[in-house]
């Protein structure tokens, strides 16, 4: 079955050619899907009724729909998005001085197993298609009547665990017949899959890379992030150095502060030492408590001291503007609640049996094979 929203203009042209249609029709169709927000073939007035019917017979469109929304006082809107198979993901719309930024999901659930994150509680259900990633933008824009100018791939899921669809997504949203979004306005966040970081560096795409580091050393990182069992911070640093050497782009390191675990001044100094020689920027985030995880936010004093210690060590640092905490904006919390309330996936797939180490073997194939 054709996944219309995930196809490139060239792939659409091939499909249309098989139907005996001229290739310029693919451009019209792509524009309807990615620029004009079409949710069915009906309204595609310049395609002709007969062709619209044939396309519909080949495969109907499967739009992503806003199922629920919560709006915070600062204007942040958190969406529960319904996919065509009845599954849910979350997206968060934030307003900044430079425009609207949307945080999108890359997978339904996640198999990375970070202990503070609600997205991973029930494991990975499936990857999103490139079209589903892009459609979160179109659905949010439709719902709020705004234009999204920036995207962060920081919602549910690990984007580098869905690498091919991620690259396809970047192509779709960047395409001039679609949203034509600048790749410089897109940030991709990873928990640190090193082989993918290198591969991504090799693409030369001017996307911003964010690394979820969250710890100053392996001992602490292993307590909270399962990926740290497989990848040491030294190995991660080497991959980041490779990325910086290849792209000359600054990497954002996300650092969640958790009370009594990683929020002391000595941790800040250790973090600064780790980042030395890297083109880095640190984004501090007080942990968003998730009931099942039991982590607490740092005190205001600890937070300030941590930031000041990094500054004293000449590490560029910002405090993430906290938006929408009251509306469960931490990854996966709205979805987790919706699932608990009995809005389960319509067509559940079995959990993949792969363990993270096996996943690592696949991801880091060359080294481990
Ligand atoms: N898997 C990717 C992207 C999704 S998570 C990654 O790990 O980067 C997006 C960001 O939200 C990550 O930095 C993640 O660590 C952070 N996050 C997850 N749960 C959180 C919580 N309870 N409080 C604060 N940040 C959280």
């Amino acid at each position: 079955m054709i996944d219309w929203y995930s196809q490139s203009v060239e792939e659409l042209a091939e499909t249309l050619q098989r139907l005996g249609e001229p290739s310029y029709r693919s451009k019209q169709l792509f524009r309807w899907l990615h620029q004009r927000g079409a949710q069915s073939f009906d309204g595609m007035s310049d395609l002709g009724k007969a062709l619209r019917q044939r396309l519909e017979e080949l495969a109907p469109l499967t739009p992503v729909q806003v199922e629920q929304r919560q709006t915070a006082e600062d204007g942040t809107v958190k969406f529960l998005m319904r996919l065509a198979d009845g599954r849910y993901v979350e997206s968060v719309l934030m307003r900044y001085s430079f425009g609207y930024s949307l945080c999108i999901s890359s997978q339904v659930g996640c198999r990375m197993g970070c202990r503070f994150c609600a997205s991973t509680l029930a494991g990975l259900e499936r990857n999103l298609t490139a079209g589903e990633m892009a459609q979160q933008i179109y659905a949010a824009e439709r719902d709020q009547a705004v234009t999204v100018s920036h995207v962060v791939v920081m919602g549910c899921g690990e984007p580098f665990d869905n690498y091919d669809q991620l690259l396809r997504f970047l192509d779709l949203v960047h395409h001039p017949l679609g949203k034509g979004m600048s790749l410089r306005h897109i940030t991709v966040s990873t928990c640190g899959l090193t082989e993918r970081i290198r591969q991504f560096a090799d693409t030369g795409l001017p996307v911003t890379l964010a690394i979820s580091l969250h710890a100053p050393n392996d001992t602490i990182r292993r307590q909270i992030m399962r990926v740290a069992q497989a990848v040491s911070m030294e190995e991660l640093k080497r991959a980041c150095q490779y990325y910086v050497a290849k792209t000359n782009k600054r990497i954002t390191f996300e650092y969640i502060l958790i009370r009594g675990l990683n929020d002391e001044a000595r941790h800040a100094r250790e973090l600064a030492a780790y980042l030395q020689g890297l083109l880095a920027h640190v984004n501090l985030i007080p942990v968003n408590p998730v009931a099942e995880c039991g982590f607490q936010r740092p005190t205001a004093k600890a937070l300030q001291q941590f930031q000041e210690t990094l500054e004293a060590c000449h590490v560029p640092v910002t405090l993430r503007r906290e938006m929408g905490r009251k509306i469960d904006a931490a990854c996966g919390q709205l979805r987790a609640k919706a699932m608990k309330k009995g809005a389960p996936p319509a067509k559940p797939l079995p959990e993949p049996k792969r363990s993270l180490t096996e996943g690592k073997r696949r991801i880091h194939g060359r080294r481990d094979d």
Side-chain angles (χ1 to χ4, degrees):
M1 191 119 113
I2 298 170
D3 173 9
W4 296 106
Y5 288 104
S6 295
Q7 295 219 320
S8 65
V9 181
E10 295 73 26
E11 288 164 338
L12 290 177
E14 276 171 33
T15 306
L16 287 163
Q17 217 170 7
R18 282 199 296 274
L19 298 178
E21 293 289 332
S23 71
Y24 69 83
R25 292 258 181 251
S26 62
K27 295 184 182 163
Q28 291 173 314
L29 180 53
F30 190 90
R31 207 180 266 133
W32 276 112
L33 295 171
H34 295 281
Q35 204 172 67
R36 304 168 86 169
Q39 296 178 76
S40 73
F41 289 112
D42 286 349
M44 300 185 183
S45 46
D46 54 1
L47 290 190
K49 198 155 189 256
L51 175 57
R52 287 180 340 234
Q53 257 167 11
R54 291 182 76 188
L55 296 176
E56 177 79 32
E57 279 160 22
L58 266 182
L61 290 184
T62 49
V64 170
Q65 306 283 0
V66 171
E67 172 89 6
Q68 258 183 52
R69 69 187 75 62
Q70 293 180 337
T71 307
E73 279 162 18
D74 62 5
T76 299
V77 187
K78 174 126 186 174
F79 300 102
L80 186 66
M81 301 270 186
R82 189 177 201 277
L83 310 174
D85 66 355
R87 291 183 162 80
Y88 295 102
V89 290
E90 297 176 359
S91 322
V92 184
L93 183 71
M94 293 158 285
R95 198 169 75 198
Y96 290 95
S97 53
F98 53 75
Y100 283 94
S101 174
L102 189 72
C103 172
I104 64 161
S105 293
S106 55
Q107 296 180 313
V108 185
C110 184
R111 66 189 179 107
M112 293 297 122
C114 299
R115 286 196 40 219
F116 43 78
C117 181
S119 297
T120 205
L121 289 172
L124 174 70
E125 283 186 36
R126 71 166 173 84
N127 282 328
L128 291 192
T129 64
E132 286 171 328
M133 289 188 233
Q135 283 191 76
Q136 292 169 62
I137 306 174
Y138 316 150
E141 287 185 328
R142 260 197 317 271
D143 192 76
Q144 298 292 306
V146 297
T147 300
V148 169
S149 59
H150 291 66
V151 166
V152 293
V153 189
M154 274 196 197
C156 309
E158 166 53 47
F160 280 177
D161 191 32
N162 187 14
Y163 189 75
D164 295 344
Q165 292 300 312
L166 173 75
L167 290 194
R168 207 172 241 277
F169 157 76
L170 295 173
D171 267 354
L172 292 176
V173 292
H174 179 56
H175 200 284
L177 292 173
K179 273 198 71 63
M181 187 179 284
S182 162
L183 292 177
R184 292 178 195 283
H185 288 187
I186 301 177
T187 299
V188 172
S189 180
T190 178
C191 62
L193 306 183
T194 47
E195 198 61 30
R196 290 296 192 215
I197 293 172
R198 289 170 192 271
Q199 231 178 318
F200 198 59
D202 289 338
T203 66
L205 296 172
V207 168
T208 299
L209 183 65
I211 305 279
S212 293
L213 192 63
H214 305 329
N217 59 51
D218 282 325
T219 312
I220 296 181
R221 197 160 195 261
R222 286 184 189 134
Q223 284 176 43
I224 51 176
M225 297 180 76
R226 191 147 31 107
V227 69
Q229 309 288 354
V231 180
S232 73
M233 280 180 54
E234 236 358 90
E235 195 182 337
L236 181 56
K237 185 170 179 174
R238 281 196 295 275
C240 290
Q241 280 164 334
Y242 181 83
Y243 179 86
V244 173
K246 275 267 168 173
T247 63
N248 202 28
K249 278 183 73 76
R250 189 177 291 275
I251 298 179
T252 298
F253 287 87
E254 315 277 340
Y255 192 101
I256 294 182
L257 287 156
I258 302 172
R259 188 185 296 194
L261 184 84
N262 65 357
D263 64 342
E264 293 169 36
R266 66 189 165 102
H267 297 135
R269 281 192 291 276
E270 202 178 358
L271 174 63
Y274 174 77
L275 295 176
Q276 223 180 19
L278 267 177
L279 197 54
H281 165 263
V282 172
N283 198 15
L284 295 177
I285 316 148
V287 71
N288 225 321
V290 174
E292 291 84 345
C293 307
F295 291 119
Q296 282 187 324
R297 295 160 61 80
T299 61
K301 194 168 162 237
L303 182 59
Q304 190 186 350
Q305 198 183 29
F306 199 95
Q307 183 171 7
E308 284 170 3
T309 309
L310 283 181
E311 279 163 353
C313 297
H314 309 290
V315 176
V317 54
T318 46
L319 196 58
R320 187 190 279 181
R321 184 175 132 201
E322 277 204 278
M323 288 184 281
R325 188 148 63 90
K326 287 203 191 100
I327 56 166
D328 301 320
C331 307
Q333 292 199 38
L334 188 64
R335 175 172 165 266
K337 276 188 190 164
M339 283 166 59
K340 247 192 245 165
K341 265 193 221 145
K347 297 177 216 156
L349 286 176
E351 275 276 316
K353 293 280 180 287
R354 245 185 272 128
S355 73
L356 191 68
T357 358
E358 279 164 332
K360 184 200 154 215
R361 199 169 303 134
R362 186 171 61 81
I363 292 155
H364 302 276
R366 257 166 290 160
R367 205 203 51 221
D368 284 335
D369 283 345

